[in-house]
Amino acid sequence: MKIDKVKNYNQKLLAVLGTIGAIFLVVALIAFISIAIQEYSRSNYHDPETGILSNEKIEKLQKENKREQVISYESPKLIDTLNSIYIIPVSHKTLNEKENINGLLNAFSYSDELYEKPDSRYSGEFYGAFNNVIVYNPNNGKNNKLFDERVNFNDIKTEYFDKEILLLIKASEKDTYKDGVINLMDFKSLYIYSFSQKKMQKIGIDGMDVYNYKFINNSKDLIIRFGVDKNNDGLYEEYNEPTLIKKYDFESGQLTGIIDEKTSSDLQKTLEGTQK
C-alpha cells in the first residue's frame, strides 16, 4: 500500500515538474521569438526623419512657398584645447505640419550649457542627425560653417596629430536610393576638415559608397573601402555587394588603387574556378 502511495506521489511530482518544464520552455520560446522579431525590426528600420528632404521634395515645397524642416543647434564640443576652438553640430527637425517659408524661424534648439563638461574634450566621436558643422572661436566671436551644400551625416570623428586636428565626416549629398530623403542609405563621400589649413577635402567615387576607412600608421594618409553598387539601385548592400580598397594621399589629394588589376583578376578567377 505504501509502495502504491509512493508511486502515485512520484507520478504526480513528475507530472507537476513536467508541466512546469513545459511552461518554462514555452515562455522561453516566446521570449526568444519576441527578441528575434525586435532585433529584425531594429535592423530593418530606417527613420526617414534622420535625413534631409530630397532636392525633388525641396523644389516642390519651394513652389508652395513652404518648408518642412528647420535647423537645430547641438551643444558646442571643445576640439582644440590650446586655442579654445569648438565645433557646433547643426541638426534638423521635421515639423508636424508645413509652414510658410517666410515665417519666423523660431524652432531653434539651444542647449542650456554653452560648453561641454571638461572631460568631454577627450572624446573623439560625436553622434546625431546632422546637416552641417559650425567652427566657433569664443575668443573673437567668429564662426564658420563647413558645408555650403545640402548634406546629411550622423557621425563626426576627430583625429589629433602633431600640430594638426582633423574632422572626418561621412556624408550623403544626393538621394541616390530615390526614397525622398537624403540619408545614410544613400551613397556617402568622406569629408576631411583641417584646422591648421582651414580647408575641407572631399573624397568620393561616383556611383560608390564610402564604406569605412582607417589611417595608415604614423601618417595622415588613409586606406578607404568603397562599396560597389552592383545592381545599380542607388544603395550599397554590404551582405551581397563587394568593396574595393584604395589609398588616399593626404598631401596630394590623390586616390590610388592598392591591389593591382592582375592580382584582382587572379583572385576572382581562383574564386570562380576559372584559374588555369
Side-chain angles (χ1 to χ4, degrees):
M1 196 72 177
K2 288 183 178 179
I3 294 174
D4 291 338
K5 287 183 178 179
V6 170
K7 285 183 178 179
N8 290 334
Y9 174 78
N10 288 339
Q11 289 174 350
K12 290 179 180 179
L13 181 61
L14 288 173
V16 170
L17 291 175
T19 302
I20 293 173
I23 293 172
F24 175 79
L25 287 174
V26 170
V27 171
L29 181 60
I30 292 172
F32 174 78
I33 293 172
S34 176
I35 292 172
I37 291 173
Q38 289 177 3
E39 289 297 321
Y40 178 80
S41 299
R42 188 178 296 117
S43 65
N44 286 275
Y45 175 75
H46 48 87
D47 182 2
E49 291 197 3
T50 61
I52 60 175
L53 298 178
S54 66
N55 292 337
E56 291 78 8
K57 283 195 173 184
I58 287 294
E59 290 174 3
K60 183 178 178 181
L61 285 168
Q62 287 177 347
K63 289 178 181 177
E64 300 172 0
N65 203 35
K66 299 288 185 181
R67 63 184 170 218
E68 283 188 6
Q69 292 183 322
V70 292
I71 59 173
S72 177
Y73 296 121
E74 303 298 317
S75 297
K77 319 289 183 182
L78 181 60
I79 299 298
D80 186 343
T81 307
L82 183 63
N83 298 302
S84 296
I85 304 296
Y86 290 77
I87 64 169
I88 304 174
V90 182
S91 62
H92 46 275
K93 304 294 182 182
T94 300
L95 305 174
N96 291 328
E97 296 180 0
K98 300 176 188 177
E99 69 176 18
N100 193 312
I101 206 168
N102 296 320
L104 293 175
L105 196 57
N106 56 3
F108 291 134
S109 173
Y110 293 94
S111 170
D112 293 334
E113 295 180 333
L114 179 58
Y115 305 120
E116 289 288 287
K117 295 178 181 178
D119 62 350
S120 69
R121 70 187 63 182
Y122 301 109
S123 175
E125 201 159 3
F126 312 107
Y127 295 99
F130 308 129
N131 60 72
N132 218 318
V133 178
I134 301 292
V135 176
Y136 171 58
N137 185 339
N139 296 320
N140 57 23
K142 291 184 177 180
N143 60 76
N144 175 48
K145 65 183 176 69
L146 298 189
F147 293 96
D148 291 322
E149 63 270 27
R150 303 178 67 246
V151 296
N152 181 74
F153 53 96
N154 73 339
D155 187 13
I156 305 170
K157 284 187 169 67
T158 56
E159 288 288 336
Y160 293 83
F161 299 87
D162 183 32
K163 299 180 181 179
E164 177 67 284
I165 301 173
L166 301 178
L167 288 186
L168 297 106
I169 298 169
K170 286 198 305 179
S172 301
E173 59 266 9
K174 294 180 181 179
D175 180 21
T176 59
Y177 190 49
K178 302 302 180 185
D179 59 350
V181 289
I182 300 172
N183 59 18
L184 299 180
M185 295 183 68
D186 300 307
F187 296 154
K188 296 171 288 296
S189 299
L190 177 62
Y191 292 85
I192 304 177
Y193 179 76
S194 164
F195 276 78
S196 66
Q197 300 175 13
K198 295 182 173 56
K199 183 175 74 172
M200 181 85 85
Q201 299 181 33
K202 177 184 175 181
I203 310 166
I205 299 176
D206 287 342
M208 294 190 187
D209 184 54
V210 172
Y211 182 62
N212 62 22
Y213 61 87
K214 67 184 303 180
F215 282 94
I216 295 174
N217 192 34
N218 297 320
S219 170
K220 296 178 192 172
D221 297 342
L222 292 153
I223 293 176
I224 305 175
R225 288 173 67 200
F226 291 88
V228 182
D229 180 23
K230 290 286 286 185
N231 61 3
N232 296 314
D233 64 351
L235 170 70
Y236 168 64
E237 299 169 279
E238 60 178 307
Y239 295 107
N240 54 20
E241 292 185 315
T243 57
L244 58 83
I245 191 167
K246 290 186 176 288
K247 176 186 174 183
Y248 180 74
D249 186 291
F250 182 80
E251 294 301 326
S252 69
Q254 296 296 312
L255 195 62
T256 57
I258 293 178
I259 314 298
D260 62 82
E261 290 186 12
K262 183 180 185 307
T263 301
S264 291
S265 177
D266 289 345
L267 288 169
Q268 179 60 39
K269 288 178 180 178
T270 300
L271 175 65
E272 64 196 27
T274 57
Q275 181 73 281
K276 300 192 179 180

